[in-house]
Amino acid sequence: MLLDYAKTQSDATVQREGNPEEFESHKRRRLAEKDRKQAHEAAEAQKKLKRPAASNAPDSGPARPIKASRGAGLKSSNPGAGAVVPEEYLPPNKILFVQNLPEDYDVDSLTSIFGRFEGFREVRLVPGRRGIAFVEYEAEAGAISAKENTAGMTLGEDSKFIKVVYQRQ
């Protein structure tokens, strides 16, 4: 049987043996130490995520692409690979990505919709891909107001709902 002693006194011991002021002081110290340890562990976890993989060592030979080493449907074994953020949670930026556009909408018709918002710069349709476009603003503020006011808008004869999200960085 192994026996280890506690490094610090428990709250119950301090409360029983000391006065209320000592107990409050002990409790504050304990909570501050707990917060410090959690912050340190979170920082260490971030370092591990940002640290390059061991396969990048100079004597490890040529590195294989991650996709080739991953089986279909399996999670990545690379802890540095970031999870894909859903489109609705992307951070704001000055370029909007517009999807589900009717085929008959061109640059001029999209400019008339998105041009009324502050700082509008341009609309770019993607060649060879119908139904998607990028709308650029001079500042994030214009893109934010445009996204809030046009997301879910219905366009065209079939009343298609357009999807407006921030462009991935």
Side-chain angles (χ1 to χ4, degrees), residues 1-164:
M1 175 188 221
L2 291 173
L3 180 67
D4 284 330
Y5 291 101
K7 294 179 183 178
T8 60
Q9 292 182 334
S10 69
D11 285 351
T13 303
V14 172
Q15 192 172 23
R16 185 180 64 235
E17 295 177 354
N19 61 31
E21 293 165 0
E22 288 177 5
F23 175 66
E24 287 301 319
S25 173
H26 168 77
K27 195 168 156 183
R28 278 194 305 273
R29 261 188 276 118
R30 182 179 55 80
L31 292 174
E33 181 67 20
K34 181 179 178 182
D35 290 342
R36 189 189 64 76
K37 282 183 182 179
Q38 287 177 343
H40 179 70
E41 288 172 359
E44 288 296 317
Q46 285 295 331
K47 282 183 185 178
K48 285 182 181 180
L49 288 176
K50 291 182 181 179
R51 186 173 295 148
S55 65
N56 292 344
D59 59 343
S60 66
R64 294 188 323 195
I66 294 173
K67 286 186 178 181
S69 65
R70 207 181 335 155
L74 298 177
K75 290 186 176 180
S76 171
S77 60
N78 181 3
V84 177
V85 178
E87 291 175 335
E88 48 276 351
Y89 298 115
L90 289 172
N93 63 63
K94 60 184 184 177
I95 301 176
L96 298 175
F97 179 56
V98 185
Q99 299 171 309
N100 206 22
L101 292 169
E103 292 184 18
D104 58 334
Y105 271 67
D106 60 355
V107 174
D108 295 331
S109 55
L110 291 174
T111 300
S112 67
I113 295 170
F114 290 96
R116 63 181 187 218
F117 299 102
E118 171 189 349
F120 174 78
R121 191 177 281 173
E122 68 173 330
V123 172
R124 293 186 304 268
L125 293 175
V126 180
R129 298 275 316 264
R130 295 189 183 273
I132 63 173
F134 291 94
V135 182
E136 186 173 352
Y137 288 87
E138 292 180 13
E140 286 182 9
I144 291 170
S145 64
K147 179 184 182 291
E148 290 173 353
N149 289 305
T150 58
M153 180 184 281
T154 56
L155 297 178
E157 297 167 1
D158 354 343
S159 297
K160 291 173 89 174
F161 287 99
I162 63 169
K163 184 176 181 181
V164 182

